[in-house]
Amino acid sequence: MSGRASIANTSAVSNPLSTLLPDMRRRGVRGGIIQKHRAFINFKISPAIFLFNILVLPLLWVGVLLLLLNPLFAAWNVFFEFMRGTLDLPGAVAVKTYEMLEAVSFNIPYLTVGAEWPDGRMWWTSAFVTAALLIVSFFLPNRFLPLAYFLRAMVGIQATSLVYFGFASGPFPYHLPEYMAGLLAAGCALLVMTPMLFGLTFYIFNIPWRKKLLLTGLVLAHLALLLPMQALLHAYIIHHASLMMMPVLFFVFGLLLDILVLMAFYSWGMSWPPAGDVDHDSPRRGPHP
Amino acid sequence: MIVQIMTVSLYCIVTVLVVYTVRHYAFTMNRLFGRNHQPYVDIGAANWPTVTVFVPAHNEEQVIGDMLENLLAVDYPAEKLTIVPINDRSDDATGAIIDSYAARCPGRIVPYHREKGPGGKAAALREVCRKFSSDIFLVFDADYLPGRGLIKQLVAPFFDPEVGAVMGRVVPHNLNGILLTRLLDLERAGGYQVDQQARMNLGLIPQYGGTVGGVRKSALKSVGGWRRYCLAEDTDITMRMVLHGWKVVYQNRSECYEEVPQNWKSRIRQIQRWARGHNQSMFRYTLPLLSKLGKLPTLMVLDGLLLLGVFMVPPLILTGWLLAMALFYSGVPVSHAVVVILGVTTWSTAGNFAAFFEVATAARLDGSYQRVLLLPFLSFGFLVSLMAVSWATLVQILTAPCAESPCWHKTERHRNGNGNGAHGNGSGHGKSGYAREMPR
């Protein structure tokens, strides 16, 4: 044992208070921990753990996802094939290849179902429903004002569609198959982005590891199921109700809906209490010395 | 050609929005992991300066009593504290309530009744401040409930001779079963617990918020006093303080309780007022602030510009969406359209994510985890704010950007009454169990 260590050991033995003082400073007169006021709380994390949370773990997730994407698309392919028959949709299941950095390619399935320019009946039906929704929005109670605004925003978007299809002549710049593929591609981008988003905004908190991994897995699984169903539903509606429905479905019920779902999961995860007693660097509750 | 212009414009808007997203994120990370800068909070015993607390009130019979009760109970040396409720042409019982307190506590409460002159809080403060000679002026709105130690906490920073203004934290107390109040509570938490504190930590510009705060009298005089016709005298004074070299300080520990709007109409009126006032300051101080590049820290100037532009973000978002829709219909090649629209939606999503991250972090720092579950509903709140602020900004730009409105703009009160605004059916004394019951 070195001389210095020997002296320190001797000090500790002769004055046990010196080892107890740091803990005692944080305790009140009855021995309980004095928690910091919420204004002073902040977190301490080592650079290594911080980097692991914010970069390494998300990248691991992304790597796994990239490996699983093509098998996932194969499952979507089977799903679309099954549902095309069930819903009696024309066309077939095709595949659009997207390349990433010219190294990796992804084959996103989509339906080659077409959609028509709206005829007069469809246009007037849509106009009637749009007007009805607008009127309803003005009769909602005041406490439903956000819902009223949402309805009016939807009505506004549909109104642009009505104007376009009322005055323009065909063909519409976008075809339903490409729209479906584009929607799925955007959804896949969100899928791959999700672990990075969580790395930046969720993994840094002192939440049990199993819960962090569970939430990420749940979100990814949910999106993996939601995206093809969403795209199929869009295709079904547009095929039957005409291209006039494409704008409102894309802007309101496309990526925005996916993000709201992500937000709901995120808020659930952020509501979980921390591992241990506290989230931060305040002294932990524990047995009295 | 038009399509190219629209595309470039959209990318410019997305760039601006990305800057604000990064700012939100940087503030949150700083608040979480940075060193909290609260240098004045340990001052407990001192030779306290003279303080006048102004409480501007226009038809505040429902709440003024609680306010005065709480102020009378503070632990600031009584001989150095003067409480001045300003009754600005109220036509309810506000004046009578104030006079009754003045009669009860002569010398401590000095009422000021305004019968003439321009209306509005800023005009009232401008007129009244000239008549008092304390070292420090603190301002509280009439519906606030200051704690016992709050005055000392707010005055402590002024021992630093460079400090010109101070701001405390505003915490809603009327969290009843109404979704709106809970959403506003989340927003306030994000704005104060994270945003303001991060700006304080980073040496940027914490904003004086017009209530739960105050100014040094000499600093106020040096910047020309309160601007008479001003919808947002708080932003206005903040900028003038900074431009004249004074520090504006935020004290996260100094919490005070307020009443937030309980219905959406009140909320819309409130946020439109803030937007118009803030935009007035933006039009007025953008160039003067830019001219301080090189004289003030660069980051402070840049963040000050972002702060001034914060109420232009909703109209920018709306413009972005409209451009995206126009591009969608214009037949831009699908891949390009998807990229462009993805940019907007990604911002709206990841961008909102940064704002939600800030709010969720604030809730965790506050130790109240369950209220984070309301986060998705903030989207609806943001939608209402987006439309309300965009409309107010559009009307303001089309009419007169700097036109000022010499009248009172106040939020509806619900305490002690049935929320009938200026003429509530309260007890007439505006006193309730809220007085002195709120946690310190």
Side-chain angles (χ1 to χ4, degrees), chain B residues 336-410:
Chain B
H336 294 168
V338 166
V339 166
V340 162
I341 292 161
L342 191 61
V344 176
T345 50
T346 302
W347 179 81
S348 298
T349 50
N352 272 340
F353 216 91
F356 290 161
F357 172 47
E358 187 175 279
V359 168
T361 297
R364 286 190 77 89
L365 285 169
D366 283 347
S368 55
Y369 304 102
Q370 286 300 301
R371 62 183 173 145
V372 182
L373 289 168
L374 292 172
L375 216 59
F377 293 96
L378 272 181
S379 304
F380 290 104
F382 287 162
L383 176 63
V384 172
S385 300
L386 179 88
M387 301 308 236
V389 170
S390 300
W391 178 250
T393 304
L394 181 67
V395 169
Q396 185 177 26
I397 289 173
L398 291 178
T399 54
C402 290
E404 289 154 334
S405 174
C407 63
W408 271 92
H409 301 264
K410 53 167 279 200

Side-chain angles (χ1 to χ4, degrees), chain A residues 37-45 50 54 142-147 149-150 153 156-158 160-162 164-165 172-175 178-179 182 186 189 193 197-202 204-207 246-247 250-251 255-256 259-260 262-264 266-274 277-280, chain B residues 25 29-36 38 41 169 171 193 197 252-255 257 263-265 268 321 324-325 327-334 337-338 341-342 345-346 348-350 352-354 356-357 360-361 364-367 369-376 379-381 383-385 387-388 440:
Chain A
H37 189 277
R38 61 187 180 179
F40 304 114
I41 288 172
N42 67 349
F43 295 10
K44 291 215 173 11
I45 191 170
F50 183 77
I54 215 168
N142 185 258
R143 67 181 185 278
F144 290 117
L145 196 71
L147 179 60
Y149 275 42
F150 174 72
I157 295 171
Q158 190 58 15
T160 63
S161 183
L162 285 167
Y164 178 87
F165 286 96
F172 192 54
Y174 311 109
H175 300 117
E178 281 89 357
Y179 167 80
M193 230 170 57
L197 270 176
F198 276 12
L200 291 169
T201 61
F202 181 58
I204 52 177
F205 292 97
N206 184 22
I207 291 169
M246 192 184 282
F250 180 69
F251 283 105
L255 210 58
L256 264 180
I259 286 294
L260 266 180
L262 183 61
M263 202 66 68
Y266 175 73
S267 69
W268 180 42
M270 285 292 273
S271 73
W272 292 336
D277 298 310
V278 291
D279 217 343
H280 46 77
Chain B
Y25 188 75
M29 292 304 264
N30 171 272
R31 178 63 186 87
L32 278 173
F33 300 110
R35 189 168 162 268
N36 267 337
Q38 298 194 57
V41 75
R169 180 178 172 180
V171 180
Q193 173 72 285
Q197 182 59 48
N252 203 19
R253 173 65 181 88
S254 307
E255 298 179 2
Y257 303 93
N263 59 64
W264 287 102
K265 281 196 175 139
I268 287 170
W321 279 107
M325 277 201 290
L327 281 167
F328 183 85
Y329 286 116
S330 67
V332 171
V334 173
V338 166
I341 292 161
L342 191 61
T345 50
T346 302
S348 298
T349 50
N352 272 340
F353 216 91
F356 290 161
F357 172 47
T361 297
R364 286 190 77 89
L365 285 169
D366 283 347
Y369 304 102
Q370 286 300 301
R371 62 183 173 145
V372 182
L373 289 168
L374 292 172
L375 216 59
S379 304
F380 290 104
L383 176 63
V384 172
S385 300
M387 301 308 236
R440 305 285 181 255

